């Protein structure tokens, strides 16, 4: 199949399909306020996402959804978050106001908009729609791993409400200057905004291009978008309607979560069919490396760790290693290097290669601790290995925030051989905890890990082990390279300290997002 090429055109506002509904909502005038503290014209941003930690998390998007708005608020941007009211989210909402109700949105069940505050102080809007979000299972799939059959409607509503709040007819007194959308679940927002009068600009952030939200073409009509949008110059993608394509096509600017991934997705290999559109929008595409929450991920104060430590004194790391070994039933040997994995078990993460070489690795003095879940065959293969090598390989299937912190701190090395990785957070957490990562040279892994060579060890930039060429042999050789250095205690200590000295705080990234907001708003 030949890849489609897309051209980007300038947009002309058209009437929204929901004009009738708009009339039913109260209209407030937009206003500009001055932020007296730093002289910035205060910017108001609605940050729409399908996951925000700690309320709901399946991956890195949730971490970003929590930390980036907080970091932006710290530099004077008035960011407020919009999140669906899944069962687990509603269970955590202790006090909130009902801001408005949506009872006549064409094609959608009734919903309420609640407002409250996250524990980190970020204002939060929760979209409460029991018919779509109140159910057991995950945010995207049921307990058996099947996509919810009404996902188009579920995230169509989220997208729609984000657009309403960014329009002239918003029922809120608070009017955003722009809407910041994240991944396919909010991909229709820029399309709704485009077909709505008096709407603000939007930004689309791609956290992973592999998840696109593609649905049968006829879904367009059920979501209240004009049939004309189902076009190559619109949200059509190989005969389907694509939430993500909609976001990328209609947003005023696209960002993604690392500079290297921004380049990679314009190429055939990692463009997932969207490379033509992304290459065409190259000048409106910015790669910004994610930060990490340096308060949550702090070895000197992490409540999940049995012993705290810092870059001046890493001795506490050994106690954490011992605790992980004990908790997971690994042999209590302090000198055997412990390899850690915390990951979704998927093809993307390249864990199949690790499982393939694991028997070979067992000839070495090495232990492996794996935490994660996902692909059933991969989970079973990992379990089989742990039964075959008791005391040397431990596998915990599931999601555990506590154990993820303990592995990051207690392991000697962290393995992340992703085939592609938009940004990746775990390699940054591991560096922060003085646990050098072993990573494939791709996406954000290349942007955040400096390969250890004699030169980089001397100049103090080395922070892990990077291999090119996604093969089992390359991974195996790189692990062995790391183990050799582990035996050189002085060099290893220097490497761990380099890791801990790196600055992955959100501040730099938040400033880069602010630059993008300014550019889009022409300020
Ligand atoms: P992705 O978003 O592709 O899954 P990232 O590295 O960007 O990968 O982010 C993964 C996030 O989810 C990290 O915060 C990681 O610690 C966490 N995580 C992944 N799997 C688990 C698990 N089984 N238990 C606890 N945390 C996990």
């Amino acid at each position: 199949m030949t890849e489609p090429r897309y051209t980007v055109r300038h947009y002309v506002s058209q009437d929204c399909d929901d004009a009738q509904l708009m009339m039913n909502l109260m209209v407030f005038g937009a206003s500009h306020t001055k932020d007296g503290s730093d002289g910035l014209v205060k910017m108001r941003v609605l940050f729409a996402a399908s996951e925000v930690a700690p309320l709901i998390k399946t991956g890195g998007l949730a971490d970003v959804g929590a930390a980036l708005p907080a970091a932006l608020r710290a530099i004077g941007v008035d960011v407020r978050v919009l999140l669906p009211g899944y069962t687990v989210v509603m269970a955590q909402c202790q006090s909130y106001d009902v801001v408005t109700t949506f009872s006549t949105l064409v094609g959608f069940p009734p919903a309420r908009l609640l407002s409250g505050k996250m524990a980190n102080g970020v204002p939060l809007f929760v979209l409460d729609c029991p018919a779509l979000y109140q159910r057991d299972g995950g945010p995207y799939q049921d307990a058996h791993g099947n996509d919810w059959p009404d996902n188009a409607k579920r995230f169509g509503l989220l997208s729609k409400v984000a657009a309403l709040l960014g329009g002239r007819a918003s029922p809120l007194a608070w009017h955003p200057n722009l809407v910041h959308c994240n991944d396919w679940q909010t991909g229709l927002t820029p399309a709704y905004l485009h077909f709505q009068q008096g709407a603000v600009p939007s930004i689309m952030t791609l956290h992973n291009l592999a998840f696109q939200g593609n649905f049968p073409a006829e879904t367009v009509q059920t979501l209240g978008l004009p049939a004309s949008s189902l076009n190559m110059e619109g949200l059509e993608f190989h005969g389907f309607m694509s939430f993500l394509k909609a976001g990328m096509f209609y947003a005023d600017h696209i960002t993604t979560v690392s500079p290297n991934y921004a380049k990679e997705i314009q190429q055939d290999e990692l463009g997932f069919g969207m490379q033509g559109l992304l290459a065409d929008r190259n000048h409106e595409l910015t790669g910004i490396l994610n930060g990490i929450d340096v308060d949550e991920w702090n070895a000197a104060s992490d409540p999940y760790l049995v012993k705290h430590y810092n870059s001046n004194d890493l001795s506490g790391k050994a106690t954490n290693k011992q605790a992980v070994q004990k908790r997971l039933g690994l042999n209590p040997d302090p000198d055997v290097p412990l390899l850690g994995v915390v990951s979704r078990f998927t093809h993307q993460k390249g864990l199949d290669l690790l499982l393939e070489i694991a028997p070979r690795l067992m000839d070495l003095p090495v232990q492996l601790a794996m935490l994660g879940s996902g692909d059933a065959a991969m989970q079973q293969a990992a379990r089989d290995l742990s039964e075959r090598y008791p005391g040397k390989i431990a596998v915990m299937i599931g999601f555990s925030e506590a154990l993820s912190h303990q592995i990051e701190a207690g392991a000697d090395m962290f393995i992340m051989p992703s085939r592609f990785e938009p940004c990746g957070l775990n390699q940054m957490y591991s560096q922060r905890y003085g646990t050098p990562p072993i990573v494939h040279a791709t996406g954000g892994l290349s942007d955040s890990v400096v390969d250890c060579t004699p030169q980089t060890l001397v100049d103090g930039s080395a922070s892990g082990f990077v291999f090119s060429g996604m093969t089992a042999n390359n991974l195996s050789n790189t692990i062995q390279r790391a183990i050799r250095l582990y035996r050189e205690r002085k060099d290893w200590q220097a490497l761990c300290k380099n890791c801990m000295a790196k600055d992955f705080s959100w501040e730099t990234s938040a400033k880069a997002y602010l630059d993008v907001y300014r550019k889009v708003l022409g300020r």
Side-chain angles (χ1 to χ4, degrees), residues 398-418:
F399 197 92
S400 165
E401 198 65 43
L403 187 56
S404 74
H405 285 240
Q406 288 155 1
I407 290 177
E408 293 282 10
D412 294 298
M413 302 154 199
F414 191 86
I415 315 282
M416 204 162 164
S418 307

Side-chain angles (χ1 to χ4, degrees), residues 57-63 207-208 211 290 297 342-345 348-349 371-373 396-405 408 414 416 421-427 429:
K57 171 169 167 175
T58 71
L61 169 61
D63 295 307
H207 298 263
N208 193 337
F211 302 103
N290 282 337
W297 292 92
V342 179
S343 180
R344 288 185 290 119
F345 284 17
Q348 176 198 338
K349 300 293 179 181
L371 165 66
S373 62
M396 191 73 106
I397 302 296
F399 197 92
S400 165
E401 198 65 43
L403 187 56
S404 74
H405 285 240
E408 293 282 10
F414 191 86
M416 204 162 164
E421 193 58 78
C423 176
L425 297 172
N426 281 305
Q427 82 284 6
Y429 298 150

Side-chain angles (χ1 to χ4, degrees), residues 253 283-284 286 514-523:
H253 200 97
H283 297 294
E284 295 150 324
T286 308
L514 179 56
D515 285 345
V516 171
Y517 295 165
R518 284 200 170 114
K519 188 171 166 190
V520 167
L521 294 171
R523 295 185 183 174

Side-chain angles (χ1 to χ4, degrees), residues 93-142:
C93 284
Q94 280 157 6
S95 69
Y96 53 79
D97 296 321
V98 179
V99 185
T100 192
T101 53
F102 301 106
S103 51
T104 54
L105 278 181
V106 177
F108 297 104
R112 301 186 303 167
L113 191 68
L114 317 177
S115 104
K117 247 188 192 162
M118 304 268 300
N120 64 6
V122 174
L124 174 73
F125 296 115
V126 173
L127 180 57
D128 177 31
C129 180
L132 296 182
Y133 305 132
Q134 283 276 341
R135 51 184 78 170
D136 294 337
Y140 317 120
Q141 296 174 331
D142 64 20

Side-chain angles (χ1 to χ4, degrees), residues 4-8 204 206 209 212 244-245 247-249 253-256 261-267 270-286:
R5 298 283 300 170
Y6 303 96
T7 55
V8 176
M204 183 76 222
L206 310 172
L209 205 57
Q212 305 185 336
L244 194 66
K245 161 101 189 284
M248 291 190 290
F249 186 82
H253 200 97
I254 304 166
T255 71
T256 188
Y261 192 61
K263 287 187 210 140
E264 289 173 343
I265 55 178
Q266 296 177 50
Q267 310 292 324
L270 292 181
F272 288 93
M274 303 287 185
Q275 59 271 32
L277 169 59
L278 289 162
D280 281 341
R281 298 209 63 186
N282 171 285
H283 297 294
E284 295 150 324
L285 168 63
T286 308

